């Protein structure tokens, strides 16, 4: 049921009788499923005319948001006649398919430290302008995938910041938030707490209790530009507009790839990722004091090994259907607790790391406490050697035989909220089996708020403590592990000391998804052909149909085992990201304008409309929604002009009606899925949507 095959036949044989496949309905199901927003029953209320909000017809038919503009508007992302799809307006002259300019001047810094200072200042200037309401400012709204954990949520904020920096946009929170960030989870006076604003009156998420704000600007500042905002609602992923919604398929590669002007630094990409994550994870002064006190209390000594054991919801199994009894997260590995310690001991025995004096264990596993107690009794840790000593030197140095009561290696395992169903999932009641969710829902609101507060506090503590470790062991497919790895101090070009991922082989092969890489995975399924995961990630990043050379080494995305990071080839990234910053070079123009010669030729015009529909469907599968919506809207405009007799098309009336039906249906689906949360802001600036609908 390929749309491409259908319309190829139509274009070559317009008289052939056929039955239209239910493309629109199939695609509606797919789109609704991918965005997990069950709270959106009754979405139509977001498109009425009350209180100045745009009607559905406004969003479907609306014209240019900017009138009487000129080229000067390009710098802020709004170009004259941006909605003109006729091919006659000035918009048709803007797009130029130029090669990436290689002559980029290096940043005015030489060392990692000086470049970091420069970059931090640039971030602060972009994120905290003197006037958030200035007309030339461009905004990027953070969006999230769904039911994210703490590490995943912080990672996605950094991904949004990265996309914003690469496109010269101020990144702020949008109306779509992950369940994890819901302030309502913190509880208030009604639940017996001192305040209804535990994170401050200006807080927009529960994370604001711990980390500094990402920007001084807000949605209310963006809404001051009402006309531009209404235009944005029609296609929230349009590069050319003043406003744009974050795309994780862009944000993840953007977080992993330094701008060209910083690439004179050794290991620039790892350095870039570290600086951005550390900027997002700026703990508030009172929280830093708490962390330092915790560190002193634990008595950690160097060298310190951090171990993150990711269990929790990875052990969840399907309750119903064909997959009943099987583990839900097939794209993530599950290792026994003892396996982690075996990898640490192997690294010591092979000389990769010295014998640690402290092993800090962070885990959501209910089995970890017993496993650590067993591990403490292992003579390996008690009969260890000093940093500079070689194996077997203990007796020569006159060292006393360990009794096991005073081990050379100290294990630190703090008291934590742990659940066999996962700490963050149980604390928020998200992504849980129905029976478990039903059981936990019976707890009082106060108990649930206490559970959430404890989980969030402890997660922040573990991330911070792991970031202070000299060596690190975990699974690179975990967002939490990846975040702690990058946050570790001393990562200029490479980690001061290496990280060890138990799942490296699976990350290389594609069996597992890399941490801090969102929007490019295949759900929680394990792919039949694992290497295709890298291809999927690559194709979703491109704002064009891929060619064979895209998926050939060294162009394709891959996992670098030496640096323990996921790698995006610079040439691939630059070919796309260089267009984000300049609306005139956006790939949107390829899909928004048809040349005059094609408009005059009925056969060529038919081929053009077919291409817009079919190629749009292909790119829709790989999440290039801005391109897709732009192309379908252009097809809709061309078909409308055919209806009005302004253009001639090599197609009969039945064919014309069916193309209109498919195009209008797909546009309608995209409006429902992507535009409604933003349209609602025009009625209520405080409106928010929490993905998964698991609000307490």
């Amino acid at each position: 049921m390929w749309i491409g095959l259908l319309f190829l036949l139509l274009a070559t044989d317009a008289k052939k009788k056929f039955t239209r496949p239910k493309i629109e309905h199939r695609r509606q199901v797919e789109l609704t499923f991918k965005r997990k927003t069950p709270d959106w029953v009754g979405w139509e209320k977001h498109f009425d005319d009350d209180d100045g909000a745009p009607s559905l017809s406004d969003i479907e038919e609306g014209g240019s948001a900017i009138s009487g503009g000129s080229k000067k508007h390009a710098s802020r992302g709004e170009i004259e006649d941006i909605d003109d799809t006729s091919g006659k307006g000035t918009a048709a002259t803007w797009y130029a398919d130029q090669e990436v300019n290689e002559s980029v001047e290096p940043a005015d810094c030489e060392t990692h430290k000086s470049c970091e200072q420069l970059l931090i200042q640039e971030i602060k200037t972009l994120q905290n302008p003197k006037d958030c309401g200035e007309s030339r400012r461009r905004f990027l709204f953070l969006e999230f995938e769904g039911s994210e954990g703490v590490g995943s949520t912080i990672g996605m904020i950094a991904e949004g910041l990265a996309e914003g920096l690469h496109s010269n946009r101020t990144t702020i929170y949008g109306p779509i938030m992950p369940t994890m960030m819901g302030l309502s989870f913190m509880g208030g006076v009604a639940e017996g707490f001192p305040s209804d604003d535990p994170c401050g009156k200006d807080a927009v998420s529960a994370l604001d209790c711990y980390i500094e704000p990402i920007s001084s600007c807000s949605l209310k500042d963006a809404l001051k530009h009402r006309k531009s905002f209404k235009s944005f609602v029609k296609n929230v992923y349009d590069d050319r507009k003043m406003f744009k919604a974050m795309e994780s398929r862009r944000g993840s590669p953007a977080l992993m790839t330094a701008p060209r002007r910083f690439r004179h630094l050794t290991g620039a990409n790892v350095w870039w990722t570290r600086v951005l994550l550390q900027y997002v994870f700026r703990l508030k002064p009172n929280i830093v004091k708490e962390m330092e006190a915790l560190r002193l209390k634990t008595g950690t000594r160097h060298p310190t090994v951090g171990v993150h054991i990711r269990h929790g919801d990875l052990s969840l199994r399907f309750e119903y259907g064909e997959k009943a009894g099987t583990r839900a997260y097939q794209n993530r590995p599950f290792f026994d607790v003892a396996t982690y310690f075996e990898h640490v001991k192997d690294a010591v025995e092979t000389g990769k790391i010295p014998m640690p004096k402290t092993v800090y264990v962070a885990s959501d596993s209910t089995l970890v406490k017993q496993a650590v107690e067993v591990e403490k009794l292992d003579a390996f840790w008690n009969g260890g050697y000093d940093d500079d000593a070689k194996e077997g030197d203990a007796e020569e140095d006159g060292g006393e035989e360990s009794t096991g009561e005073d081990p050379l290696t100290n294990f630190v395992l703090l008291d934590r909220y742990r659940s066999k169903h996962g700490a963050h999932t149980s604390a928020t009641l998200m992504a849980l089996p129905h029976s478990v969710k039903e059981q936990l829902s019976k707890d009082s609101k106060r108990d649930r708020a206490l559970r959430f507060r404890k989980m969030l506090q402890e997660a922040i503590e573990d991330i911070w403590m792991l970031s202070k470790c000299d060596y690190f062991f975990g699974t690179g497919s975990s967002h939490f592990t990846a975040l702690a790895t990058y946050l570790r101090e001393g990562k200029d070009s490479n980690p001061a000391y290496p990280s060890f991922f138990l799942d490296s082989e699976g990350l290389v092969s594609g069996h597992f998804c890399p941490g801090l890489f969102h929007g490019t995975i295949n759900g929680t399924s394990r792919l039949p052909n694992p290497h295709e995961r890298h291809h999927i990630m690559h194709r979703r990043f491109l704002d064009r149909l891929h060619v064979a050379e895209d998926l050939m080494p060294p162009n394709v995305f891959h996992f670098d085992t030496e640096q323990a990071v996921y790698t995006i080839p610079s040439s691939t990234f630059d070919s796309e990201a260089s267009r984000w910053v300049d609306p005139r070079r956006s790939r949107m123009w390829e899909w928004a304008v048809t040349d005059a010669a094609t408009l005059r030729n009925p056969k060529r015009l038919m081929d053009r409309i077919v291409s817009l529909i079919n190629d749009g469907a292909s790119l829709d599968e790989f999440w290039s929604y801005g391109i897709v919506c732009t192309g379908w809207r252009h097809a809709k405009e061309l078909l409308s002009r055919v209806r009005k007799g302004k253009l001639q098309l090599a197609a009969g009336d039945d064919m014309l009606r069916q193309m209109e039906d498919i195009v209008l249906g797909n546009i309608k689906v995209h409006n429902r899925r992507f535009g409604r949360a933003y349209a609602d802001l025009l009625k209520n600036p405080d409106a928010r949507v929490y993905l998964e609908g698991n609000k307490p």
Side-chain angles (χ1 to χ4, degrees):
M1 288 187 7
W2 242 97
I3 311 178
L5 177 59
L6 167 65
F7 281 110
L8 180 62
L9 292 174
L10 293 181
T12 56
D13 186 1
K15 296 181 180 180
K16 184 173 180 178
K17 189 175 181 180
F18 64 94
T19 302
R20 171 188 178 249
K22 297 181 179 180
I23 300 298
E24 175 196 339
H25 303 294
R26 177 177 65 85
R27 193 159 302 288
Q28 274 188 303
V29 172
E30 289 179 354
L31 292 175
T32 302
F33 173 77
K34 287 179 181 176
R35 175 65 73 187
K36 301 175 182 178
T37 51
D39 278 353
W40 277 116
V41 175
W43 64 271
E44 292 86 352
K45 71 183 181 66
H46 297 279
F47 293 104
D48 57 40
D49 288 314
D50 296 337
D51 302 322
S55 66
L56 183 58
S57 60
D58 288 335
I59 295 175
E60 291 289 339
E61 302 290 347
S64 175
I66 300 295
S67 60
S70 64
K71 293 185 179 181
K72 67 181 181 181
H73 291 292
S75 61
R76 78 171 199 181
E78 297 272 9
I79 297 180
E80 179 183 10
D81 294 327
I82 198 168
D83 292 311
D84 175 14
T85 57
S86 65
K88 297 179 180 180
T90 56
T93 65
W94 284 107
Y95 174 74
D97 192 10
Q98 304 169 358
E99 294 297 324
V100 176
N101 181 11
E102 298 296 342
S103 59
V104 174
E105 289 291 329
D108 188 19
C109 55
E110 295 182 359
T111 65
H112 292 92
K113 184 176 181 179
S114 61
C115 286
E116 179 173 345
Q117 293 172 344
L118 175 62
L119 176 56
I120 292 297
Q121 186 55 50
E122 291 178 352
I123 294 174
K124 289 181 177 179
T125 300
L126 183 63
Q127 291 297 107
N128 304 288
K130 293 181 180 179
D131 181 9
C132 291
E134 61 178 327
S135 61
R136 298 175 68 86
R137 181 157 302 279
R138 304 201 309 163
F139 288 94
L140 182 77
F141 299 121
L142 285 169
E143 281 204 355
F144 298 86
E145 291 297 307
S147 53
E148 311 296 336
V150 177
S152 176
T153 298
I154 293 173
M156 292 199 75
I157 296 172
E159 291 166 15
L161 178 62
E163 183 183 344
L165 289 169
H166 277 289
S167 55
N168 194 30
R169 292 179 180 271
T170 299
T171 303
I172 62 176
Y173 285 114
I176 301 175
M177 310 281 275
T179 306
M180 178 59 63
M181 299 177 71
L183 280 167
S184 58
F185 280 113
M186 302 292 290
V189 175
E191 287 75 40
F193 296 101
S195 171
D196 285 329
D197 301 304
C199 302
K201 292 185 178 180
D202 296 328
V204 296
S205 82
L207 284 176
D208 289 340
C209 285
Y210 302 95
I211 64 177
E212 298 286 2
I214 191 176
S215 174
S216 60
C217 301
S218 68
L219 274 171
K220 290 185 179 180
D221 295 311
L223 287 168
K224 293 176 182 178
H225 306 279
R226 199 170 183 85
K227 286 186 177 180
S228 294
F229 202 88
K230 285 185 177 181
S231 175
F232 152 76
V233 169
K234 291 182 288 184
N235 184 355
V236 299
Y237 301 117
D238 192 332
D239 280 322
R240 303 166 297 172
K241 300 296 182 70
M242 181 180 187
F243 304 109
K244 181 184 177 297
M246 164 193 169
E247 295 177 83
S248 52
R249 68 181 185 89
R250 286 184 174 185
S252 297
L255 179 60
M256 303 294 176
T257 312
R260 284 180 290 162
R261 60 197 186 88
F262 286 118
R263 291 181 195 163
H264 62 285
L265 295 174
T266 304
N269 290 341
V270 174
W271 166 84
W272 164 264
T273 308
R274 174 183 64 82
V275 173
L276 266 58
L277 286 169
Q278 286 185 343
Y279 183 83
V280 171
F281 196 69
R282 290 168 296 129
L283 298 180
K284 293 187 172 182
N286 63 307
I287 302 299
V288 173
K289 290 181 180 179
E290 292 179 12
M291 298 297 163
E292 293 288 0
L294 176 65
R295 189 181 183 187
L296 289 174
K297 183 179 179 180
T298 60
T300 56
R301 300 173 297 161
H302 295 285
T304 304
V305 166
V307 180
H308 177 232
I309 300 172
R310 176 73 166 90
H311 276 190
D313 57 331
L314 292 188
S315 63
L316 293 177
R317 298 179 180 275
F318 290 105
E319 289 188 325
Y320 308 104
E322 297 178 355
K323 297 182 180 180
T326 61
R327 197 164 63 87
Y329 289 89
Q330 293 294 315
N331 63 337
R332 303 281 177 86
F334 187 94
F335 297 101
D336 293 335
V337 175
T339 304
Y340 288 83
F341 297 129
E342 289 301 322
H343 275 73
V344 177
K345 289 186 280 190
D346 179 71
V348 173
E349 291 176 335
T350 56
K352 295 177 181 177
I353 67 171
M355 172 65 75
K357 290 186 177 179
T358 300
V359 175
Y360 183 87
V361 182
S363 179
D364 55 359
S365 173
T366 56
L367 306 174
V368 70
K369 186 174 183 179
Q370 180 180 358
V372 167
E373 292 301 317
V374 171
E375 198 64 33
K376 288 180 180 179
L377 301 177
D378 192 324
F380 177 87
W381 306 109
N382 299 336
Y385 43 86
D386 293 336
D387 297 358
D388 299 324
K390 296 181 180 179
E391 187 174 2
D393 284 350
E395 292 184 5
E396 295 180 13
D397 293 340
E400 296 181 0
E401 182 178 352
S402 173
T403 62
E405 298 176 356
D406 185 25
L408 293 180
T409 300
N410 177 42
F411 281 80
V412 176
L413 178 68
L414 300 177
D415 179 44
R416 292 289 183 244
Y417 167 63
R418 298 186 176 94
S419 166
K420 65 180 180 179
H421 308 297
H424 71 277
T425 47
S426 296
T428 57
L429 303 186
M430 63 183 183
L432 288 172
H434 176 73
S435 59
V436 177
K437 184 175 180 179
E438 188 176 51
Q439 178 183 354
L440 292 174
S441 297
K442 296 177 181 178
D443 295 340
S444 69
K445 289 185 177 181
R446 176 174 174 79
D447 287 343
R448 290 162 62 183
L450 287 170
R451 185 165 59 208
F452 178 81
R453 290 186 178 206
K454 182 174 175 60
M455 178 278 301
L456 187 56
Q457 170 81 23
E458 292 170 353
I460 298 295
E461 289 177 354
D462 279 341
I463 292 171
W464 190 87
M465 290 291 289
L466 289 171
S467 74
K468 304 302 179 184
C469 294
D470 300 311
Y471 303 93
F472 188 80
F473 290 77
T475 49
S477 54
S478 163
H479 300 302
F480 197 99
T481 290
L483 174 60
T485 298
Y486 275 108
L487 287 175
R488 286 169 57 216
E489 294 179 351
K491 293 192 74 160
D492 287 333
S493 57
N494 292 296
Y497 303 104
S499 296
F500 299 88
F501 293 154
L502 278 64
D503 55 351
S504 287
E505 185 177 338
L507 292 169
V508 172
S509 67
H511 276 90
F512 306 132
C513 303
L516 296 182
F517 222 86
H518 295 83
T520 49
I521 59 177
N522 193 48
T524 60
S525 302
R526 178 169 294 187
L527 297 176
N529 301 307
H531 70 279
E532 292 180 355
R533 188 178 302 281
H534 303 302
H535 294 175
I536 292 172
M537 291 176 171
H538 193 127
R539 290 180 65 182
R540 285 181 181 170
F541 173 68
L542 300 176
D543 272 325
R544 58 175 174 78
L545 296 174
H546 79 286
V547 295
E549 290 76 11
D550 289 326
L551 306 182
M552 298 291 290
N555 298 324
V556 74
F557 291 14
H558 62 279
F559 185 80
D560 185 334
T561 54
E562 183 175 342
Q563 292 195 14
V565 296
Y566 202 70
T567 302
I568 292 82
S570 296
S571 58
T572 299
F573 182 83
D574 294 342
S575 67
E576 297 297 322
S578 63
R579 302 176 183 279
W580 303 348
V581 71
D582 186 353
R584 294 168 298 182
R585 298 190 63 239
S586 170
R587 290 197 188 277
M588 301 289 173
W589 294 118
E590 300 175 65
W591 298 76
V593 176
T594 297
D595 64 89
T598 298
L599 294 176
R600 291 193 296 266
N601 187 314
K603 176 60 171 64
R604 288 176 59 182
L605 180 59
M606 179 66 180
D607 291 341
R608 169 62 169 165
I609 295 175
V610 166
S611 176
L612 290 170
I613 296 174
N614 293 341
D615 291 346
S618 297
L619 286 173
D620 190 62
E621 296 292 335
F622 290 92
W623 302 5
S624 294
Y625 300 131
I627 292 288
V628 169
C629 196
T630 299
W632 285 343
R633 286 185 176 279
H634 183 39
K636 171 192 167 186
E637 171 63 21
L638 294 175
L639 291 171
S640 175
R641 295 180 68 194
V642 170
R643 279 292 185 195
K644 294 176 182 178
K646 296 181 179 180
L647 295 174
Q648 299 298 316
L649 188 67
D653 191 60
D654 286 345
M655 187 187 305
L656 183 60
R657 281 200 306 271
Q658 293 180 47
M659 286 192 292
E660 289 171 332
D661 192 21
I662 292 175
V663 169
L664 292 175
N666 285 343
I667 292 174
K668 188 175 182 180
V669 169
H670 272 247
N671 283 339
R672 290 180 180 179
R673 180 179 176 191
F674 301 120
R676 55 199 171 194
Y678 295 95
D680 197 38
L681 289 172
L682 292 167
K683 296 171 57 179
N684 177 13
D686 296 320
R688 298 293 182 271
V689 176
Y690 290 91
L691 299 180
E692 288 286 334
N694 291 315
K695 291 178 286 186

